[in-house]
């Protein structure tokens, strides 16, 4: 049975939306959980690497390797900040703020690569940043400074992912998807493991349930969610993909309502809607499909 690629993209968004839920169920430190996730994802990819990509990894050029190493560090820091944000703010705020990454990619490409941003793209950026301010104001009035700290961590995670995506645009050109992701996951694992020991958290003593939640993170949002996104890129337009990703905070928020009794207030909902509209507007403008 052939699947509609657009349905596959929506399934990918659903799988990725479980990330915040699994993190919320965990009790280990954020850096440790992120290290578990990247380590298990690396192990899952290892058989494929040993079977058909060892020669590719041996022949990798120094520039590509350096970019992959830097990018792996950014990916690890992205997960560390995002996971930590979920300990301080709501699932809805954390997920929608971390999904503003496309806006920060645009700003990086504009500053570094001098890439032009269309007028409607600028409107999308303004809407997204304005929605972020509204969420911050909502969380500050309703939850205090710790919640605002969580929002800032989610935004930091978005910025780190934007650097990761921008560097990846260059780094992955000379590598297969499997080899590229394996290097990133493994470097992210090493980075997070080192941080966990520096901070004194360590990697052991957190029980089997945290390993279980990390395995769920490695399987569903990492291997299934992102793999389905990668597969679907061959069949759907970038604007559809970028817009479909915005279903992640919707799915996560709905699950958080039932699982954690986190019911967003009207001001927070307004900010979320404005951010989704802003990212969608930017994506359509960038893809050249908006009128």
């Amino acid at each position: 049975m052939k699947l509609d690629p657009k349905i596959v993209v929506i399934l990918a968004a659903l799988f990725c939306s479980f990330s915040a839920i699994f993190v919320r169920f965990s009790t280990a430190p954020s850096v440790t959980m992120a290290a578990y996730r990247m380590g298990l994802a690396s192990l899952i990819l290892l058989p494929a690497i040993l079977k058909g990509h060892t020669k590719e990894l041996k022949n990798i050029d120094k520039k590509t390797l350096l970019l992959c190493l830097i990018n792996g560090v950014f990916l690890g820091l992205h997960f560390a900040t995002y996971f930590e944000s979920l300990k301080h703010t709501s699932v809805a705020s954390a997920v929608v703020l971390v999904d503003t990454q496309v806006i920060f990619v645009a700003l990086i490409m504009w500053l570094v690569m001098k890439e032009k941003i269309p007028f409607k793209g600028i409107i999308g950026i303004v809407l997204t940043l304005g929605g972020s301010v509204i969420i911050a104001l909502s969380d500050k009035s309703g939850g205090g400074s710790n919640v605002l700290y969580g929002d800032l961590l989610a935004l930091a995670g978005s910025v780190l992912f934007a650097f990761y995506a921008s560097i990846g645009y260059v780094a992955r050109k000379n590598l297969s998807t499997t080899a590229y992701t394996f290097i990133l996951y493994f470097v992210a694992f090493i980075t997070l493991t080192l941080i966990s020991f520096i901070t004194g958290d360590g990697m052991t003593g957190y029980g089997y349930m945290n390993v279980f939640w990390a395995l769920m993170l490695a399987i569903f949002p990492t291997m299934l969610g992102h793999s389905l996104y990668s597969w679907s890129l061959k069949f759907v337009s970038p604007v559809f993909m970028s817009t479909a990703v915005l279903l992640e905070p919707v799915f996560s928020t709905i699950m958080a309502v039932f699982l954690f009794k986190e019911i967003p207030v009207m001001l927070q909902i307004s900010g979320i809607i404005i951010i989704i509209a802003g990212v969608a507007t930017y994506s359509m403008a960038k893809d050249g499909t908006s009128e």
Side-chain angles (χ1 to χ4, degrees):
M1 183 178 66
K2 294 184 178 180
L3 290 176
D4 185 337
K6 291 184 178 181
I7 299 298
V8 173
V9 172
I10 293 172
L11 284 173
L14 176 61
F15 287 138
C16 286
S17 68
F18 278 101
S19 177
I21 305 302
F22 294 151
V23 172
R24 269 298 188 87
F25 277 126
S26 68
T27 57
S30 302
V31 172
T32 303
M33 280 301 297
Y36 285 171
R37 175 180 182 172
M38 291 293 92
L40 290 168
S42 300
L43 286 176
I44 292 171
L45 280 175
L46 186 59
I49 291 294
L50 294 176
K51 185 177 180 180
H53 296 276
T54 53
K55 185 177 180 180
E56 181 182 10
L57 291 179
K58 287 179 181 178
N59 295 329
I60 187 173
D61 63 271
K62 292 182 180 179
K63 179 182 177 181
T64 300
L65 178 60
L66 178 61
L67 289 174
C68 288
L69 294 176
I70 295 171
N71 227 15
V73 173
F74 274 118
L75 182 62
L77 294 175
H78 156 72
F79 281 125
T81 51
Y82 174 46
F83 283 16
E84 183 64 20
S85 74
L86 287 161
K87 295 182 181 295
H88 301 280
T89 191
S90 67
V91 168
S93 294
V95 178
V96 77
L97 288 172
V98 86
D99 277 345
T100 60
Q101 56 205 235
V102 66
I103 300 301
F104 291 108
V105 170
L107 294 175
I108 291 171
M109 297 300 285
W110 173 62
L111 290 170
V112 178
M113 307 297 292
K114 307 301 179 184
E115 185 174 304
K116 292 184 178 179
I117 301 174
F119 178 71
K120 288 187 177 180
I122 295 174
I123 293 175
I125 291 173
V126 172
L127 283 172
T128 302
L129 296 178
S132 301
V133 172
I134 291 173
I135 286 179
L137 291 173
S138 170
D139 287 342
K140 184 178 180 181
S141 62
S145 58
N146 283 341
V147 179
L148 185 58
Y149 173 64
D151 291 344
L152 291 173
L153 282 173
L155 279 174
S158 181
V159 173
L160 288 164
F161 192 91
F163 278 106
Y164 157 78
S166 301
I167 295 172
Y169 179 77
V170 178
R172 68 179 304 169
K173 287 183 177 180
N174 299 321
L175 288 173
S176 65
T177 300
T178 302
Y180 175 70
T181 52
F182 176 77
I183 295 173
L184 290 186
Y185 292 169
F186 185 71
V187 173
F189 166 68
I190 296 298
T191 301
L192 292 162
T193 300
L194 290 173
I195 294 174
S196 73
F197 283 109
I198 291 172
T199 58
D201 292 326
M203 294 288 289
T204 59
Y206 297 107
Y208 292 112
M209 282 308 299
N210 282 304
V211 176
F212 170 77
W213 292 123
L215 181 60
M216 294 298 98
L217 284 165
I219 293 174
F220 287 95
T222 308
M223 305 307 300
L224 287 177
H226 291 292
S227 295
L228 290 178
Y229 276 143
S230 298
W231 176 85
S232 301
L233 278 172
K234 297 179 181 179
F235 308 102
V236 301
S237 68
V239 65
F240 180 84
M241 180 72 73
S242 299
T243 306
V245 168
L246 297 175
L247 288 172
E248 290 180 26
V250 176
F251 289 142
S252 296
T253 300
I254 292 172
M255 286 188 282
V257 169
F258 291 99
L259 294 172
F260 309 120
K261 308 301 180 185
E262 290 185 1
I263 302 174
V265 298
M266 283 307 300
L267 188 60
Q268 186 182 19
I269 293 173
S270 300
I272 290 171
I273 291 173
I274 291 172
I275 286 176
I276 290 175
V279 174
T281 299
Y282 172 81
S283 298
M284 288 187 288
K286 190 64 180 174
D287 196 57
T289 59
S290 59
E291 297 296 325

